[in-house]
Amino acid sequence: MTLHGRSRATCLELDANDELAPLRELFSLPAGVLYFDGNSLGPLPKAAVSRAHEVLAREWGEGLVRSWNEAHWYASPERLGAKLAPLLGALPDEVVVADSTSINLFKAVAGALHIQSLDAPARRKIVSERSNFPSDLYVIEGLCHWIDRGYEVVLVDGASEIESALDQDCALLALTHVNYRTGAMHDLARLSALAHQCGALIVWDLAHSAGALPLDLQRDGADFAVGCTYKYLNGGPGAPAYIWIAKRHHERFSQPLKGWWSHATPFTMDPNYIGASGVAKAKCGTPPVLSMALVECGLDVFANTTMSAIREKSLRLGDLFIDLVASRCASYPLRLVTPQNHALRGSQISYEHPQGFGLMQALIRRGLIGDYRHPNIIRFGLTPLYMRYVDVWNAVTVLEEVLSSGEFQAQEPAGAVT
Ligand SMILES: Cc1ncc(COP(=O)(O)O)c(C=O)c1O
């Protein structure tokens, strides 16, 4: 999509013809806000308000402990996993919703290393990217240190270095599919195949992919995947995450956080551990019931459309954003760091700006909510379920106004969350 002839009126026309436009009504969006941060925290699905009330007042308030069975709380990790599965290209019994992404990554990496200790015990290298999400790197380093069996974490920069690092010593490749800072996307199928060619397993972090673009983990041959539900899946702040394990690994999968919810029969209170079968082995303890109910409301929205429709609109919104910034903000020191090539980008547009923090704070004061990532990146998430083309037009208008006013140059107090 080029900017040729693009105007606010044509954006309104695109919205009028947008098959996803009615879905915006399913979300509660504050007036006067242009929300471009659904890649960090998705907005509130309206259904979540009444559902939260129902869980509190009826299921907890009246049902009390009976609700573990009667309101189906007990089976929620598997039920939500099955609802999420189509968005991942997974089988319904390959996914559970539980714990946080960081904790699930710990379990997935531990499980992968366990399988490799049976198949290829001499391999000692775990390859990841220096630009990976820091929590992933900390978890992998921490686990290797804890295991104390001489694993070495090798950090590389970019796709070609990843490929060169895949050799006979590599046990595991651990990558985030869409980079949280730049929005750049890896070729999941190709890297999974390359990892397997050299005898390594692969763990994917899909935090910025699930709900943002179509995934087909089964077809693409991945081994393990984890990700958040509070971003593009709109599950709510701090919502539990998910873990996917390819079925071919279920039998041999084993992870160290063997809490009672991963036992075959938790309520026999057996002093001996007998692991559940399948992906249930990846659970640990009691699920956060209220949060699980809200995740379900977020997932239910996706039943109204397809991931390919979402992806198509996301790319259009992104092209529009990039074109408008290029034409209207060309005289300012903004550098696009997101690939323009559709095959290489996720669903966010990021720019470097020398005063990125102050700039984002000024945009937020004007109602355009994106976010900032140290040291100089401003991010704008594209979320087709509730974003309009005219929102992109208005966002770039605000950006241009703030850049020309210079109001962002004042020193800003740094908050803990940026
Ligand atoms: C790519 C990626 N991985 C992991 C995480 C960490 O998730 P959690 O804090 O739920 O463990 C995040 C959080 O934003 C993320 O963006």
Side-chain angles (χ1 to χ4, degrees):
M1 180 194 287
T2 66
L3 184 64
H4 227 59
R6 183 79 55 226
S7 65
R8 192 167 191 279
T10 52
C11 290
L12 290 171
E13 203 180 310
L14 285 168
D15 286 323
N17 295 315
D18 173 18
E19 65 178 77
L20 297 183
L23 300 185
R24 182 176 166 86
E25 271 312 301
L26 301 179
F27 292 92
S28 178
L29 294 159
V33 161
L34 293 164
Y35 196 58
F36 281 71
D37 211 10
N39 53 321
S40 178
L41 175 64
L44 172 67
K46 284 179 185 162
V49 177
S50 50
R51 180 71 187 119
H53 189 260
E54 189 184 19
V55 174
L56 292 174
R58 187 174 64 76
E59 296 183 4
W60 180 20
E62 292 169 24
L64 293 163
V65 76
R66 293 168 291 191
S67 286
W68 282 106
N69 291 322
E70 289 169 12
H72 310 291
W73 292 351
Y74 180 76
S76 59
E78 285 80 8
R79 184 176 67 253
L80 271 56
K83 269 196 185 173
L84 175 60
L87 304 188
L88 306 181
L91 295 172
D93 59 351
E94 287 180 321
V95 195
V96 281
V97 172
D99 302 320
S100 66
T101 303
S102 304
I103 290 174
N104 287 337
L105 187 80
F106 178 91
K107 295 183 284 192
V109 170
L113 291 180
H114 170 70
I115 290 171
Q116 287 293 54
S117 75
L118 304 173
D119 288 347
R123 291 176 181 247
R124 280 292 165 276
K125 208 161 82 173
I126 299 171
V127 177
S128 191
E129 277 187 293
R130 208 176 313 278
S131 64
N132 198 350
F133 192 77
S135 192
D136 294 28
L137 300 180
Y138 307 157
V139 163
I140 296 167
E141 289 275 6
L143 176 62
C144 291
H145 182 73
W146 189 255
I147 297 174
D148 197 18
R149 264 192 255 130
Y151 284 112
E152 181 200 2
V153 182
V154 176
L155 299 185
V156 297
D157 299 297
S160 67
E161 283 192 24
I162 294 172
E163 293 185 25
S164 333
L166 293 173
D167 59 20
Q168 296 308 306
D169 192 32
C170 183
L172 184 66
L173 179 56
L175 297 175
T176 293
H177 182 219
V178 174
N179 184 276
Y180 74 102
R181 297 175 89 245
T182 63
M185 178 170 71
H186 281 305
D187 184 336
L188 192 150
R190 178 177 156 74
L191 287 168
S192 300
L194 287 174
H196 291 165
Q197 262 168 37
C198 87
L201 292 174
I202 189 154
V203 177
W204 287 103
D205 180 336
L206 303 177
H208 297 266
S209 311
L213 44 93
L215 291 161
D216 200 335
L217 292 172
Q218 272 207 305
R219 180 199 63 200
D220 293 342
D223 296 299
F224 300 89
V226 299
C228 308
T229 64
Y230 49 73
K231 300 176 187 292
Y232 293 94
L233 297 171
N234 311 308
Y242 55 89
I243 176 166
W244 169 82
I245 305 173
K247 202 151 209 173
R248 63 183 176 280
H249 295 309
H250 282 193
E251 205 168 314
R252 295 196 303 163
F253 177 77
S254 173
Q255 54 97 1
L257 301 177
K258 297 185 195 312
W260 68 314
W261 282 65
S262 75
H263 192 279
T265 54
F267 282 86
T268 57
M269 306 295 172
D270 185 353
N272 301 309
Y273 181 81
I274 301 169
S277 60
V279 73
K281 254 184 291 185
K283 294 187 292 182
C284 182
T286 309
V289 169
L290 185 52
S291 292
M292 297 289 275
L294 305 188
V295 171
E296 196 158 10
C297 295
L299 292 176
D300 283 340
V301 172
F302 287 86
N304 296 293
T305 182
T306 62
M307 284 314 304
S308 56
I310 289 175
R311 176 63 169 167
E312 196 185 322
K313 182 173 167 189
S314 156
L315 291 171
R316 282 166 174 260
L317 291 166
D319 288 347
L320 177 65
F321 199 107
I322 292 169
D323 277 358
L324 289 174
V325 170
S327 70
R328 292 168 64 180
C329 307
S331 57
Y332 304 105
L334 277 179
R335 190 176 79 83
L336 178 68
V337 294
T338 304
Q340 299 209 44
N341 182 341
H342 290 178
L344 299 179
R345 79 172 193 238
S347 198
Q348 75 182 53
I349 305 296
S350 301
Y351 293 89
E352 277 177 1
H353 185 279
Q355 284 136 308
F357 180 75
L359 176 56
M360 184 48 72
Q361 291 302 300
L363 296 174
I364 292 170
R365 281 198 298 275
R366 297 249 196 144
L368 169 55
I369 302 182
D371 64 19
Y372 163 79
R373 286 295 173 264
H374 189 75
N376 54 7
I377 292 218
I378 54 172
R379 308 190 301 180
F380 299 95
L382 305 170
T383 48
L385 291 176
Y386 48 88
M387 188 173 282
R388 299 169 298 199
Y389 291 94
V390 75
D391 294 330
V392 171
W393 178 273
N394 291 340
V396 177
T397 303
V398 173
L399 179 62
E400 187 184 4
E401 282 168 11
V402 168
L403 286 167
S404 73
S405 74
E407 66 192 64
F408 56 88
Q409 287 170 9
Q411 197 61 32
E412 302 287 338
V417 176
T418 60

